[in-house]
């Protein structure tokens, strides 16, 4: 196909797999580049998001960024809010059944999801974005239609899905309603007539089901485009809020910058590839300069150039004990019962999940107050007066300014 155009470079950047992939053919049904080159109409590029939580992190943003790449190339992003499927939950990679959400929980989460992806997707150009809720078509399926869907798959095929076989062999229950999920997500592709579906590498089974169902209903099967699952800031496990190794899209500039500035060396290349559009061949050679550039660029994307620059300045001031940071998030001391021991004060803030964790952090030497290390977890603060305006810090990434 020769040198890739800028649009194709942006579309293919960081992609793990495209299927079907027949690179030696010009058949647009087996070669995505040939299909893109046809140019007869904008392609419909599907991404499904199940609003099972309220906060999106950088790992979630990767397929959304790829959706934006297709928008920039002139195609139509079809963002499906899985308000129906979220009430079941995708069992992919899970060792147990997911908790079923209420309709109200899903609706509230969906609103926050849309607000957060506004910083990534083009919501303004006519014809570039279509937002759909899969309750539109799934809630109206009758029993005969559901039976038709089930008749397209065998139990053996379903047990081949990641997690199901392991649970079955271990004697962990696999509930029948979980079998619905791949079929319903696949039916979404039928309902919106998707040409391409995006997803993480853990979504290949579901995307393939969509192809099968489109074929069953007489449609041209979609292409699947798989993207890596982003490792978290610990450099070891998939980014996850429950593991605490995440960077949230709604985090304040200083917190976002501070976390990314400490990106482990083994992740820095992948983070640049998946989270920025910076030319990979032109990155700084010095590892520390790379970390700073990454933190600055990603923070700018979700805030502004000025906010990112200020976060960088504040991070330097905090590490050096300057204490003049302007963008440190505030924590109200009215939530603390005084007199308060240091571990209790810290455990009340968002910096630690519990008082026991706070005690461990202080004993480990990770806690500073206005640049001075806190060494005694039982140090008593009689009133909030001497704490007002001071910065409380855990490690090099997490800060709050204490205010009365």
């Amino acid at each position: 196909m020769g040198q890739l155009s800028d649009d194709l470079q942006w579309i293919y950047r960081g992609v793990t797999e495209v299927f079907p992939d027949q690179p030696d053919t010009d058949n647009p049904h087996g070669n995505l580049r040939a299909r893109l080159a046809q140019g007869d109409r904008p392609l419909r590029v599907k991404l499904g998001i199940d609003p099972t939580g309220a906060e999106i992190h950088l790992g979630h943003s990767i397929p959304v960024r790829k959706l934006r790449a297709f928008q920039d190339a002139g195609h139509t992003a079809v963002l499906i809010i899985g308000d129906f499927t979220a009430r079941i939950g995708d069992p992919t990679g899970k060792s147990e059944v997911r908790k079923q959400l209420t309709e109200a929980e899903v609706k509230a989460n969906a609103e926050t999801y849309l607000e957060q992806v506004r910083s990534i997707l083009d919501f303004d150009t006519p014809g570039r974005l279509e937002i759909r809720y899969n309750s539109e078509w799934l809630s109206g399926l009758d029993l005969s239609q559901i039976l038709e869907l089930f008749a397209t798959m065998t139990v053996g095929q379903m047990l081949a899905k990641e997690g199901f076989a392991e649970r079955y062999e271990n004697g962990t229950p696999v509930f029948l309603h979980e079998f619905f999920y791949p079929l319903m997500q696949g039916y979404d592709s039928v309902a919106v007539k998707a040409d391409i579906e995006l997803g993480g590498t853990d979504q290949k089974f579901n995307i393939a089901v969509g192809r099968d169902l489109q074929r069953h209903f007489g449609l041209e099967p979609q292409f699947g485009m798989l993207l890596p699952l982003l490792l978290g800031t610990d450099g070891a496990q998939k980014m996850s809020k429950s593991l605490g190794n995440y960077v949230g899209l709604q985090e304040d500039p200083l917190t976002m910058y501070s976390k990314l500035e400490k990106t482990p060396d083994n992740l820095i290349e992948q983070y640049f590839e998946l989270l920025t559009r910076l030319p990979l061949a032109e990155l700084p050679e010095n590892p520390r300069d790379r970390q700073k550039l990454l933190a600055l660029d990603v923070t700018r994307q979700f805030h502004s150039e000025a906010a990112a620059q200020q976060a960088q300045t504040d991070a330097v001031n905090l590490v050096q004990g300057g204490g003049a940071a302007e963008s440190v998030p505030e924590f109200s001391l009215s939530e603390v019962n005084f007199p308060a021991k240091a571990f209790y004060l810290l455990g009340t803030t968002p910096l630690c999940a519990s008082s026991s964790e706070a005690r461990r952090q202080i004993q480990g030497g990770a806690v500073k107050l206005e640049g001075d290390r806190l060494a005694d977890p039982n140090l008593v603060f009689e009133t909030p007066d001497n704490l007002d305006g001071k910065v409380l810090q855990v490690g090099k990434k997490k800060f709050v300014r204490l205010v009365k």
Side-chain angles (χ1 to χ4, degrees):
M1 297 293 292
Q3 181 69 32
L4 292 181
S5 67
D6 289 343
D7 282 344
L8 276 180
Q9 287 182 14
W10 180 208
I11 285 173
Y12 275 88
R13 178 164 167 150
V15 171
T16 300
E17 180 183 357
V18 174
F19 65 95
D21 183 25
Q22 302 168 17
D24 297 328
T25 179
D26 291 329
N27 181 353
H29 302 307
N31 185 327
L32 179 57
R33 292 184 188 180
R35 182 68 186 90
L36 290 167
Q38 272 190 331
D40 53 336
R41 63 174 175 83
L43 299 184
R44 296 175 60 75
V45 187
K46 168 197 169 189
L47 173 63
I49 300 178
D50 278 351
T52 53
E55 186 175 9
I56 295 178
H57 56 61
L58 289 179
H60 298 133
S61 77
I62 291 172
V64 183
R65 287 173 56 83
K66 192 58 61 184
L67 198 59
R68 176 58 187 263
F70 278 100
Q71 285 185 304
D72 291 344
H75 301 289
T76 301
V78 184
L79 182 64
I80 297 180
I81 304 298
D83 59 332
F84 195 92
T85 45
R87 295 170 67 182
I88 294 178
D90 184 2
T92 295
K94 299 295 178 181
S95 60
E96 56 186 19
V97 64
R98 279 182 182 255
K99 173 182 175 290
Q100 289 185 260
L101 302 179
T102 67
E103 186 175 352
E105 288 172 328
V106 171
K107 181 179 179 182
N109 290 342
E111 291 174 357
T112 63
Y113 266 46
L114 283 176
E115 189 58 37
Q116 290 170 78
V117 298
R118 280 184 177 276
S119 58
I120 304 174
L121 293 178
D122 180 357
F123 274 69
D124 301 320
T125 305
R128 288 290 177 265
L129 180 62
E130 188 176 305
I131 298 174
R132 304 288 295 274
Y133 293 80
N134 63 14
S135 60
E136 290 178 36
W137 48 86
L138 294 178
S139 62
L141 292 178
D142 60 28
L143 184 57
S144 63
Q145 292 171 308
I146 292 172
L147 289 174
E148 182 180 3
L149 289 180
F150 268 100
T152 64
M153 292 192 73
T154 67
V155 172
Q157 287 174 307
M158 196 65 78
L159 286 176
K161 181 174 171 61
E162 181 185 359
F164 279 160
E166 180 183 351
R167 285 164 58 188
Y168 184 75
E169 291 172 2
N170 292 339
T172 304
V174 180
F175 293 90
L176 287 176
H177 77 275
E178 295 181 89
F179 282 5
F180 272 115
Y181 188 91
L183 291 166
M184 288 191 298
Q185 181 171 305
Y187 191 74
D188 290 348
S189 296
V190 175
V192 302
K193 296 181 172 61
D195 296 301
I196 304 168
E197 181 171 0
L198 308 178
T201 51
D202 59 346
Q203 292 296 311
K204 186 170 185 177
F205 182 93
N206 293 340
I207 295 173
V209 171
R211 284 176 49 81
D212 291 341
L213 288 178
Q214 285 180 312
R215 191 179 293 109
H216 174 81
F217 286 99
L219 300 175
E220 185 63 40
Q222 65 190 6
F223 285 89
M225 179 173 279
L226 304 181
L227 300 154
L229 302 178
L230 192 69
L231 289 179
T233 54
D234 58 357
Q237 300 189 71
K238 186 176 78 170
M239 186 172 284
S240 166
K241 187 173 181 180
S242 62
L243 295 175
N245 64 351
Y246 74 105
V247 180
L249 269 59
Q250 290 187 312
E251 290 188 313
D252 63 273
L254 179 57
T255 300
M256 179 176 285
Y257 180 91
S258 298
K259 287 183 177 181
L260 289 166
E261 192 188 25
K262 303 299 184 295
T263 301
D265 291 342
N266 67 310
L267 294 185
I268 196 79
E269 194 80 19
Q270 185 191 47
Y271 273 38
F272 270 114
E273 183 176 36
L274 297 176
L275 300 174
T276 80
R277 291 191 67 173
L278 298 172
L280 300 181
E282 300 175 15
L283 299 178
E285 292 186 11
N286 183 280
R288 188 74 186 108
D289 290 340
R290 287 190 175 206
Q291 290 174 316
K292 291 179 179 179
L293 177 60
L294 173 71
L296 195 66
D297 187 81
V298 176
T299 304
R300 175 193 54 76
Q301 293 175 37
F302 296 102
H303 295 283
S304 68
E305 182 66 36
Q309 292 286 352
Q310 185 63 56
Q312 186 175 63
T313 300
D314 290 345
V316 171
N317 287 338
L318 284 167
V319 170
Q320 295 178 350
E326 296 179 5
S327 60
V328 179
E330 295 183 345
F331 174 77
S332 175
L333 291 168
S334 63
E335 299 184 33
V336 181
N337 294 321
F338 286 90
K341 292 184 177 182
F343 77 88
Y344 168 75
L345 169 68
L346 181 60
T348 308
T349 74
L351 301 179
C352 287
S354 65
S355 294
S356 59
E357 181 192 347
R359 183 184 289 278
R360 289 195 300 272
Q361 293 283 13
I362 295 172
Q363 291 172 334
V367 181
K368 291 181 180 180
L369 179 64
E370 203 66 4
D372 296 326
R373 195 174 306 281
L374 274 179
D376 182 5
N378 295 311
L379 175 67
V380 176
F381 299 97
E382 296 291 344
T383 71
D385 297 340
N386 292 331
L387 295 171
D388 187 29
K390 293 184 177 180
V391 173
L392 186 61
Q393 175 181 348
V394 176
K396 296 182 178 180
K397 301 180 182 180
K398 298 190 288 187
F399 319 86
V400 292
R401 187 181 297 281
L402 304 174
V403 294
K404 289 173 61 177

